[in-house]
Structure formats: C-alpha cells, structure tokens
C-alpha cells in the first residue's frame, strides 16, 4: 500500500523551493514569537500554553495541513498530469495512501518540530506543556492531512476551502461557538494534550475517548473516500 516512486514525486512537489518557503514561514514566525515572549515575560506556563494553543495548534498546524494535504494531489489533478500516474499499474488506494503518508510526514515535520522547539523556549517544557502540544500537533497532522487530501481530490478550489475551514471554522467558530468546538480537529487533539499536560492549563471541550474515535473515524473515512473519488476520476477519463 506504499509506492516509493509516487512518494518521491510527491515529496518533490511538496518541497519545491516556493512551497518549502511557504511551509517554513509559519514555523519560523512561531519560534521568533516564542523567543520574543520569553525575553519579555520570562518562563511562564500560562503564557506558553496560550502561545502554543492560540498560534501553533489553532493556526499554524491547520494551514500547514492545507498546504501539504491539498498540494499532495491537487496540482496534479489541476494540470492533468494525474492521468499519467493513473495509467500506471498501481491501485488507486495505494496512490492515495502513499500521498497521505507523505502529506502527514511533511505536516508533522513543519508543525510538530517547531511546536516542540517553541515550547522549550517558552517555558522549558514546564508541566509537560511543550510535549503535550507537540503530541497534539502530531495527532492533528494526521487528521488534517487526510481531510485536506480529500479536498484536493474532490475540488479544484481545495486550498480556498481548506483555508476557510482552518481559519474560519477552526480558529473563529471553534473559539466562539460551543457546538462548533465539538466538530473541531483542534479540540480533538487538545483532548490528547490535556491528558498529557499537568494541571488545567490545556483544556478541551471533547473527552479523550470521543476525541480518539472521531480522529480515527475522520482519518479513515476521508482516506477511503479520496480513494473512491480517484477511482471515479479514472473511470471518467476512460469514458
């Protein structure tokens, strides 16, 4: 279910000079902000949690997920080069799963690693805050990658829809409307972080068992449906 050639092509597409600069901008900004905050306020657990939760997990991770998830397949569908990939003797689920693995890896590297560094800078991992948010970033990277890979498969405007979800639903409605928080990848990952962090500095509106089920369900269903859509795209081309 993993093809090295597809993976290599996907990595090359995602880590091209332009897209790599975009992927690296937000992590760099997070680290710069963390250094500035640490210099101004010193080591403070609440401040560390606010920065990691408010910027890293709520903004940086989903945006990177949009770039990696949609970029893993969307451009190939837009320019028609996916036809050459589909003409190879590869199962469609193998193509989707390989691209998902690449998208997850890229999202994790550009989100979880900077989150850990920022957490260590902010408070030296006091009350396990840095590790908790890093694990949350890792977990959410999987779900975001699957969701946005699906978007890249079904829509030519996947980046726009992905940014609307990330910035409007997750960041805006997710912070203001209680009901929306339950249907938020951010809140599901925060449930995992809450389990790991000490005290009540990290909170979530969703319990850990529910969050775990939803994270797994969304990832599996999005991946499966992306495979189905890719298969129907092949049939349409053949017709």
């Amino acid at each position: 279910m993993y093809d090295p050639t597809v993976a290599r092509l996907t990595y090359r597409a995602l880590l091209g000079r332009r897209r790599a600069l975009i992927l690296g901008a937000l992590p760099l900004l997070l680290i710069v902000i963390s250094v500035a905050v640490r210099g101004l306020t010193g080591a403070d657990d609440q401040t560390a949690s606010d920065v990691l939760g408010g910027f890293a997990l709520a903004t940086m991770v989903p945006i990177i997920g949009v770039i990696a998830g949609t970029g893993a397949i969307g451009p190939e569908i837009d320019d028609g080069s996916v036809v050459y990939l589909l003409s190879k003797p590869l199962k469609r689920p193998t193509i989707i799963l390989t691209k998902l693995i690449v998208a997850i890896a890229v999202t994790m590297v550009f989100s979880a690693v900077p989150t850990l560094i920022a957490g260590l800078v902010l408070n030296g991992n006091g009350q396990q805050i840095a590790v908790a948010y890093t694990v949350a970033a890792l977990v959410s990277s999987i779900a975001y990658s699957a969701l946005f890979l699906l978007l890249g498969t079904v829509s030519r405007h996947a980046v726009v829809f992905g940014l609307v979800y990330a910035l409007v639903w997750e960041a805006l409605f997710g912070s203001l409307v209680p009901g929306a928080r339950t249907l938020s990848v951010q809140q599901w990952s925060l449930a995992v972080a809450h389990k790991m962090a000490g005290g009540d500095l990290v909170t979530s509106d969703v319990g850990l068992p529910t969050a775990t089920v939803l994270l797994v369900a969304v990832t599996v269903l999005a991946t499966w449906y992306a495979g189905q859509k890719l298969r129907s795209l092949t049939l349409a081309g053949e017709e």
Side-chain angles (χ1 to χ4, degrees):
M1 299 301 289
Y2 178 85
D3 186 82
T5 302
V6 174
R8 185 174 64 255
L9 293 173
T10 307
Y11 274 119
R12 185 179 302 172
L14 285 179
L15 299 178
R17 182 177 301 177
R18 182 179 177 184
R19 188 168 276 115
L21 289 175
I22 298 173
L23 285 169
L26 284 175
L28 180 61
L29 180 59
L30 171 64
I31 294 174
V32 170
I33 290 174
S34 300
V35 171
V37 169
R38 176 62 185 266
L40 293 172
T41 65
D44 182 77
D45 294 342
Q46 184 61 60
T47 301
S49 181
D50 291 342
V51 172
L52 295 179
F55 183 78
L57 200 61
T59 303
M60 183 186 73
V61 181
I63 290 179
I64 291 175
V66 170
I67 297 170
T70 60
I73 195 170
E76 291 176 298
I77 294 178
D78 291 341
D79 63 20
S81 61
V82 71
V83 173
Y84 297 99
L85 181 61
L86 297 177
S87 66
K88 303 300 181 182
L90 292 171
K91 294 181 179 179
R92 304 306 174 248
T94 298
I95 296 174
I96 288 296
L97 189 59
T98 300
K99 288 183 172 293
L100 175 62
I101 292 172
V102 173
I104 289 172
V106 170
T107 305
M108 285 181 171
V109 169
F110 282 91
S111 61
V113 174
T115 298
L116 178 60
I117 295 173
L120 294 175
V121 169
L122 285 165
N123 77 331
N125 196 36
Q127 298 198 54
Q128 295 293 310
I129 289 176
V131 171
Y133 277 106
T134 299
V135 173
L138 290 170
V139 169
S140 59
S141 292
I142 299 173
Y144 282 133
S145 296
L147 278 174
F148 297 134
L149 179 66
L150 172 61
L151 272 180
T153 306
V154 302
S155 174
R156 292 182 177 271
H157 306 289
V159 174
V160 175
F161 291 138
L163 290 175
V164 168
Y165 174 83
L167 299 178
V168 177
W169 182 267
E170 291 273 1
L172 183 59
F173 284 99
S175 61
L176 299 177
V177 183
R181 298 172 190 167
T182 307
L183 300 176
S184 166
V185 174
Q186 177 190 344
Q187 290 297 321
W188 303 342
S189 60
L190 280 173
V192 180
H194 173 70
K195 183 69 175 179
M196 301 191 64
D200 295 321
L201 288 172
V202 184
T203 60
S204 173
D205 291 344
V206 183
L208 182 59
T210 301
T212 302
V213 171
L214 289 172
L215 284 167
V216 173
V218 165
T219 302
V220 171
L221 289 175
T223 304
W224 172 80
Y225 192 60
Q228 296 303 306
K229 293 301 293 184
L230 192 63
R231 183 172 296 167
S232 67
L233 178 66
T234 307
L235 293 175
E238 292 173 352
E239 291 172 0

